[in-house]
Amino acid sequence: MQIPTVARKAPAPAKPNGDLLSLPTLGRERLLQLLASARSLKRDLSPYRHSLAGKTVILLFEQPSLRTRLTFEIGVQRLGGIAVYVDHSSSRIGQRESVYDMGKNLERMVDCVVARVFHHNTLEELAAATRVPVINGLSDRFHPCQALADALTILEQSGVAPENGHTGQKVAYVGDGNNVAHSLMHAAAMIGFDLTVITPEAFRPAADVVADAQRLAAGTGATIALSNDPAGVAGHHFVYTDVWVSMAQQEQLERRRKRFSAYQVNPGLMAKAAPNARFLHCLPAHRGLEVTDDVIDSAASVVYDQAENRMHVQNALLLHLLANQHPG
Ligand code: CP
Ligand code: NVA
């Protein structure tokens, strides 16, 4: 008996607006469009409250979260969709079954995957396997949703318009050259902020990310500079820091605490920046380590604006990727 050959199904149609694993794939025009949409949604979301009706977004998280989880869960609901949170912290994605099989299952059930992973290549595999958009909710390499919120906050605080290239704003990132720093470098280069990344020598951002950011910066006239001197914050309008020990590095706390002590953002360091410089932090903060209470609780601190802005930029992103809608 001859076994009939089964015709292979035609490949799934490509996702029209792609994934968001890191900012450069968006391109400058779409990045600015997303920020404009986020501003519009922040003013009034009501015209879009049914835009995601019938759509389901899964949040698949290998690491804990407050802001990313809640802003996506609440944002999806405000846009009329359904969000389902899956705590994947007890095992790595790809351990029980392949990442590919997980992606092939998920695309039959949901319209979008937001994943928080230890290894960025898990996201790349997942995105390659599914015909639904995959959004990076933080990986070891990048945190693009955070950088979108950071950019919106910097634009709000400075009042500059990014359309014409270089904005004249100078941002100093002080601390660990990590996932948050990497995505901030992309955002600064693409939008047109000068960024100085100030880290201990051994904790510089990854060389390939620096090279990418410097290439992107050529298009906007932005400067992406590296330094190991905390006094390099001089003249900067924004001072940004993140934890010295990321979630995936908890065992390095003692070693890192000593290496980073000169990089604490305290009133002395803020005084070296431009007059009226603002303080930024993606949160969660380790108060007393990378930042002191008297800075994070000061009038210069805009950290809770950043947290709120996560919701607005992600709503714009969801409308773009899932409904091809562009408010504003
Ligand atoms: N900034 C940020 O991503 O916060 P969570 O880890 O709480 O999601
Ligand atoms: N760099 C931090 C960011 C948390 C939002 C981490 O990866 O834990």
Side-chain angles (χ1 to χ4, degrees), residues 155-306:
L155 293 177
E156 284 175 346
Q157 291 293 325
S158 59
V160 297
E163 286 75 20
N164 302 325
H166 195 269
T167 61
Q169 293 302 299
K170 290 165 79 72
V171 182
Y173 174 94
V174 184
D176 185 21
N178 60 17
N179 45 8
V180 166
H182 286 169
S183 287
L184 185 67
M185 289 163 70
H186 285 155
M190 293 169 73
I191 296 167
F193 305 128
D194 289 335
L195 178 66
T196 309
V197 181
I198 302 170
T199 67
E201 200 71 35
F203 296 91
R204 290 192 154 189
D208 65 314
V209 179
V210 175
D212 271 353
Q214 288 178 336
R215 182 180 49 76
L216 290 163
T220 56
T223 309
I224 307 294
L226 303 185
S227 166
N228 56 13
D229 181 3
V233 299
H236 287 70
H237 308 103
F238 293 89
V239 177
Y240 195 134
T241 192
D242 181 19
V243 292
W244 295 337
V245 185
S246 285
M247 288 180 278
Q249 304 162 332
Q250 288 309 313
E251 76 292 348
Q252 298 179 29
L253 178 60
E254 279 319 308
R255 183 168 73 90
R256 283 176 169 250
R257 191 200 291 260
K258 293 190 192 89
R259 301 292 292 276
F260 282 94
S261 60
Y263 295 81
Q264 183 184 67
V265 180
N266 51 36
L269 187 126
M270 287 300 289
K272 295 191 173 93
N276 300 318
R278 298 281 187 273
F279 171 71
L280 298 159
H281 194 309
C282 58
L283 304 177
H286 294 159
R287 286 167 176 257
L289 291 179
E290 77 274 3
V291 61
T292 55
D293 287 343
D294 43 12
V295 169
I296 197 169
D297 295 331
S298 72
S301 172
V302 291
V303 300
Y304 306 120
D305 292 306
Q306 282 175 274

Side-chain angles (χ1 to χ4, degrees), residues 71-86:
T71 51
F72 269 111
E73 279 195 299
I74 295 165
V76 168
Q77 286 171 37
R78 286 188 181 166
L79 295 168
I82 296 168
V84 178
Y85 178 77
V86 176

